[in-house]
């Protein structure tokens, strides 16, 4: 299976290169970076911190999709529309880990998924995908007497907030309560906010240091509190999950799939 990595010099891109190089049965078909990027022409093995692979980072995205069975995208939302269109054009499966997509970006992903298999997940780790199921179940069991707050922390370089994973957890608890997250979410609190409104789902964002990703879903009732927490101590869990998703696309019909589909979590 030939796997290409867009954004190959990024924090996740380098991890993904390392995973594809290390795993049996996979061929690294190439890696791209944005035009003018300082790592263009660097060897992909060197970018991954392993032995030279004799393949250099390029900026011809169309050629990369053409040469790959599947492309893994952990880049920036602005590139999503282009990458989705190229996947459909070249009949190349796509794994999208990029978060912070606009409604238009998401629509482009859904259009591409009519032509090819696309796996999209705000978090590719096994643990977080289990947490999504647990949070949904707990929200359904506990009901509105328990206030739900979702707290996340990431490294200082992260550019979107709340994290895609926090929003996915929000959707999971909203589904558990049978409500619409958009109607219930409170994303910012500042100044004289008044008392907490029953049934709302609150988000709090922390940024600092090199934290790979911490998420807690808190159910705060009268006299007790349940906290479901996931802590990623290495980005490698996301890279391993993304490569697992890439392998899983082989032979799949066109469609938009989640990591829960890949992991068989239902
Ligand atoms: P990063 O800034 O380190 O890397 C992004 C890379 O994409 C950069 O090297 C950038 O130059 C490159 N890029 C931008 N435009 C490009 C283009 N047109 N063509 C090719 N490359 C291009 O960021 P990161 O920490 O690696 O995170 C990337 C994304 O992945 C973010 O949206 C982040 O939230 C998300 N993420 C998702 C998961 C998950 O499990 N789904 C886990 C970690 C991060």
């Amino acid at each position: 299976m030939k796997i290409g990595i867009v954004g190959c010099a990024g924090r996740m891109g380098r991890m993904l290169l390392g995973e594809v190089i290390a795993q049996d049965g996979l061929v690294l078909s190439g890696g791209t970076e944005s035009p003018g990027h300082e790592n263009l022409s660097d060897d992909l093995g060197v970018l991954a911190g392993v032995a030279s692979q004799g393949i250099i980072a390029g900026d011809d995205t169309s050629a990369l999709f053409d040469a790959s069975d599947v492309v893994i995208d952990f880049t920036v939302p602005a590139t999503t529309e282009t990458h989705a269109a190229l996947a459909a054009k070249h009949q190349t499966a796509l794994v999208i880990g990029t978060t912070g997509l606009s409604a238009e970006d998401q629509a482009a992903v859904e259009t591409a998924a009519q032509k090819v298999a696309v796996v999209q997940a705000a978090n590719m780790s096994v643990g977080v995908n289990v947490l999504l199921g647990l949070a949904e179940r707990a929200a359904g069991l506990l009901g509105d007497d328990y206030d739900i707050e979702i707290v996340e922390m990431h490294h200082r370089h992260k550019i979107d907030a709340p994290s895609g994973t926090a929003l996915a957890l929000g959707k999971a608890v909203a589904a558990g309560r049978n409500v619409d997250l958009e109607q219930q979410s409170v994303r910012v609190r500042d100044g004289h906010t008044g008392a907490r409104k029953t049934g709302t789902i609150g988000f709090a964002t922390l940024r600092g240091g090199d934290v790979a990703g911490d998420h807690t879903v808190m159910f705060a009732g009268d006299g007790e509190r349940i906290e479901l927490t996931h802590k990623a101590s290495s980005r490698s869990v996301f890279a391993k999950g993304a490569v697992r998703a890439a392998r899983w696309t082989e032979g799949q019909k066109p469609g938009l799939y989640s990591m829960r589909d890949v992991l068989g979590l239902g």
Side-chain angles (χ1 to χ4, degrees):
M1 186 177 215
K2 290 174 285 179
I3 302 190
I5 309 294
V6 286
C8 63
R11 278 176 290 268
M12 283 304 303
R14 290 168 192 252
M15 284 265 170
L16 290 160
L17 290 173
E19 271 311 311
V20 174
I21 292 166
Q23 289 193 22
D24 290 339
L26 302 180
V27 174
L28 180 61
S29 49
T32 58
E33 258 302 336
S34 47
H37 194 278
E38 60 180 5
N39 293 112
L40 282 176
S41 300
D42 284 4
D43 185 278
L44 298 186
V46 174
L47 282 177
V50 298
S52 163
Q53 299 294 301
I55 319 172
I56 58 168
D59 62 3
D60 188 343
T61 321
S62 184
L64 180 68
F65 275 83
D66 195 33
S68 308
D69 297 313
V70 52
V71 164
I72 305 180
D73 179 347
F74 282 66
T75 57
V76 290
T79 66
T80 307
E81 210 170 329
T82 309
H83 292 164
L86 286 172
K89 180 177 169 202
H90 294 284
Q91 284 296 294
T92 306
L94 184 60
V95 174
I96 303 176
T98 306
T99 60
L101 305 192
S102 67
E104 292 77 38
D105 300 329
Q106 189 57 35
V109 172
E110 281 160 28
T111 302
Q114 291 169 11
K115 297 270 166 49
V116 288
V118 179
V119 179
Q120 183 185 25
N123 194 305
M124 303 264 172
S125 90
V126 175
V128 158
N129 284 281
V130 169
L131 176 65
L132 286 168
L134 293 173
E136 181 174 338
R137 177 115 176 89
L141 289 170
L142 293 169
D144 274 4
D145 287 345
Y146 290 76
D147 299 325
I148 301 179
E149 294 285 311
I150 298 170
V151 185
E152 60 109 335
M153 178 159 188
H154 281 85
H155 54 89
R156 60 170 75 93
H157 304 289
K158 186 160 177 63
I159 57 172
D160 53 319
S163 70
T165 304
L167 293 171
L169 287 164
K171 276 193 191 138
V173 293
R177 277 187 173 176
N178 218 4
V179 297
D180 180 7
L181 179 64
E182 294 304 313
Q183 309 274 317
Q184 297 297 337
S185 80
V186 175
R187 307 253 294 241
V188 180
R189 293 188 183 104
D190 187 28
H192 189 82
T193 61
R196 194 183 195 285
K197 218 171 130 198
T198 304
T200 51
I201 297 168
F203 290 85
T205 299
L206 311 180
R207 291 285 175 265
D210 62 354
V211 177
D214 293 353
H215 293 88
T216 294
V217 184
M218 195 178 289
F219 299 88
D222 288 328
E224 64 176 358
R225 196 160 75 229
I226 298 177
E227 294 181 9
L228 299 175
T229 295
H230 176 273
K231 294 187 178 184
S233 46
S234 161
R235 285 191 185 88
S236 69
V237 291
F238 310 129
K240 284 187 200 306
V243 173
R244 186 163 167 175
R247 284 182 183 273
W248 181 87
T249 59
E250 191 168 10
Q252 295 293 337
K253 293 197 185 89
L256 183 56
Y257 300 98
S258 71
M259 212 47 204
R260 285 165 94 173
D261 296 317
V262 172
L263 298 170
L265 296 173

